[in-house]
Amino acid sequence: MIRFENVTKRYADGTTAVDNLSFEVAEGELVTLVGPSGCGKTTTMKMVNRLIEPTGGRIFVDGDDISATNPVELRRRIGYVIQQVGLFPHKTVLDNTATVPHLLGIKRSAARARAAELLELVGLDPSVHGGRYPEQLSGGQRQRVGVARALAADPPVLLMDEPFGAVDPVVREHLQNEFLALQKSVRKTVLFVTHDIEEAVRLGDRIAVYGQGTIEQFDAPAAVLGAPATPYVADFVGADRGLKRLSVTPIEPGDLEQPPVVHLDDPLPATLPGWAVVLDRDENLHGWISAGQAATARGAVREHARRMEARLPVGASLKQAFATMLQHDAGWIAVIDEAGAGRFLGVLTPARLHEALRRSTAADARDIPRDEVELDTVSGR
Ligand code: ADP
Ligand code: MG
């Protein structure tokens, strides 16, 4: 549906924004272009609707070489959504959405009826929001209007340039989910630009990871995450891959260290190597004592033991373990049995956590079904 053939864009000042790019987006496919700022994503996108002309190569939309098409007609076939939305401030939401059908010569009443349908499609109530002005909407609602307006002429192709980039993470996740649901029903051919690998992975059927004006890897999300084609791609997706693994790897009994143990009713030992875990009569976790206390104090362990708040049940994720360490500023956390009063099983240290993470890396990404590739987000769903 969209095909790039050796496309290059060199700006007048000599900047090569896009360098001999070739790729294809199938009909009904959603491809995300992801990469750091300045890597050529927007330039790529604007060449598709001829807001920017390439300096080399050819671009085809639905089989037509677009250099030979009338730009105005071309843009009718291509919806365009940008971060700044570009709504008319003096027009109501309904009139903003009806602009394109109206321009296409559809009668005003029919255009407004179509606009109302579109607003509903993007989750806005036309009777509530239709009469408002853009400044009376939240950022997320404005982005929804932007999507509705881009869909107004029912174009087969949608270009979306960081459309959800300006809204907060929770709203962004809502918009992403809504857009995915919408795309399931409208099945547009979509080029979606983002600098956020998490967004790219969540939305894309395939992802194009950009280097400088070139595509480093063009593949399904799981393949990009699991088998990065180049060190650059590995680095770019790196942080999220690691966090994803942390959140899906459970603490196992074999990961645990066995520190010295004392019991509540024991007399304080004269010496301790560092510290010891304190258990009650039933081997349940009570707390800990330090070597310093053991050396200077007298009496039973019970009188000196401190509570151990940094504790988790076995089976909790390594991500929870890491978060618990940070929360309590603890060099280790106690791991207890999931059932009952919490029988002590051992402690997890940062070194053991690292080892556990390495044990989890074996999976071959090409075998991971797409549905299972889901990254945690800041909203902590
Ligand atoms: P992205 O959208 O990935 O952030 P852009 O496509 O906007 O990147 O820009 C790619 C490169 O082209 C950048 O180095 C940018 O500075 C440069 N560039 C963009 N527009 C122009 C322009 N009109 N003239 C000169 N250089 C430009
Ligand atoms: Mg850009």
Side-chain angles (χ1 to χ4, degrees):
M1 189 63 162
I2 303 173
R3 191 163 89 248
F4 276 62
E5 266 183 22
N6 307 104
V7 174
T8 293
K9 175 62 188 182
R10 200 163 289 124
Y11 286 109
D13 66 359
T15 308
T16 304
V18 169
D19 191 6
N20 195 26
L21 204 65
S22 298
F23 68 93
E24 198 166 342
V25 184
E27 186 171 348
E29 189 181 29
L30 196 168
V31 167
T32 49
L33 310 182
V34 65
S37 178
C39 68
K41 306 180 297 292
T42 295
T43 301
T44 302
M45 179 152 285
K46 285 184 169 173
M47 288 191 289
V48 178
N49 61 5
R50 296 191 64 186
L51 291 174
I52 292 176
E53 297 292 344
T55 44
R58 298 200 296 173
I59 301 170
F60 298 84
V61 171
D62 203 10
D64 299 333
D65 182 339
I66 62 168
S67 66
T69 63
N70 175 327
V72 176
E73 261 158 40
L74 177 69
R75 283 172 209 151
R76 262 179 216 161
R77 289 193 273 155
I78 300 176
Y80 188 42
V81 190
I82 54 173
Q83 192 182 105
Q84 302 79 4
V85 192
L87 299 177
F88 301 114
H90 57 281
K91 282 190 178 185
T92 65
V93 165
L94 194 70
D95 286 335
N96 261 291
T97 313
T99 305
V100 177
H102 195 57
L103 284 177
L104 292 178
I106 296 172
K107 274 215 296 259
R108 190 176 162 83
S109 60
R112 290 172 65 103
R114 168 85 181 130
E117 269 172 42
L118 286 161
L119 289 176
E120 264 176 51
L121 195 64
V122 298
L124 294 174
D125 183 345
S127 65
V128 175
H129 302 105
R132 292 193 185 160
Y133 290 88
E135 61 166 22
Q136 297 171 308
L137 300 180
S138 71
Q141 289 169 336
R142 274 201 292 272
Q143 289 302 148
R144 290 188 179 95
V145 178
V147 172
R149 198 180 52 175
L151 291 170
D154 201 19
V157 174
L158 269 187
L159 305 179
M160 306 179 77
D161 195 346
E162 314 230 11
F164 310 143
V167 296
D168 71 65
V170 177
V171 174
R172 187 182 314 149
E173 202 184 326
H174 273 293
L175 291 172
Q176 288 168 351
N177 290 338
E178 283 172 13
F179 181 67
L180 274 181
L182 182 65
Q183 167 66 358
K184 270 204 178 110
S185 66
V186 298
R187 274 284 153 207
K188 302 295 181 188
T189 303
V190 186
L191 260 189
F192 189 109
V193 161
T194 177
H195 62 265
D196 175 4
I197 182 71
E198 210 170 283
E199 182 165 76
V201 164
R202 171 167 294 140
L203 296 181
D205 295 317
R206 287 190 296 165
I207 310 176
V209 182
Y210 270 61
Q212 275 307 322
T214 56
I215 293 177
E216 295 270 326
Q217 188 169 8
F218 190 37
D219 217 330
V224 171
L225 281 179
T230 65
Y232 169 88
V233 175
D235 193 39
F236 186 71
V237 303
D240 291 285
R241 288 174 81 210
L243 285 174
K244 177 184 183 297
R245 289 208 317 267
L246 267 184
S247 64
V248 298
T249 308
I251 303 170
E252 292 179 0
D255 299 328
L256 305 179
E257 252 175 54
Q258 298 302 329
V261 163
V262 296
H263 288 82
L264 276 176
D265 295 321
D266 291 347
L268 268 183
T271 58
L272 267 182
W275 49 274
V277 168
V278 177
L279 304 182
D280 69 14
R281 201 171 284 146
D282 302 317
E283 305 296 311
N284 292 330
L285 177 68
H286 177 85
W288 64 290
I289 56 166
S290 68
Q293 290 170 291
T296 57
R298 282 168 202 288
V301 166
R302 175 185 295 286
E303 294 155 42
H304 303 283
R306 300 187 216 172
R307 291 287 297 170
M308 181 68 207
E309 305 297 343
R311 58 169 78 190
L312 280 177
V314 70
S317 71
L318 296 181
K319 186 178 171 185
Q320 282 174 281
F322 190 41
T324 305
M325 279 178 197
L326 293 177
Q327 183 190 344
H328 296 282
D329 193 19
W332 51 275
I333 59 170
V335 178
I336 56 178
D337 218 349
E338 270 163 305
R343 196 168 54 88
F344 173 72
L345 297 177
V347 300
L348 189 70
T349 60
R352 289 300 185 94
L353 189 150
H354 184 218
E355 280 173 36
L357 189 58
R358 294 176 72 174
R359 121 176 103 67
S360 78
T361 59
D364 178 0
R366 280 171 201 279
D367 294 336
I368 303 174
R370 174 155 190 266
D371 289 354
E372 286 175 24
V373 177
E374 201 189 302
L375 298 175
D376 278 43
T377 67
V378 260
S379 64
R381 193 170 45 113

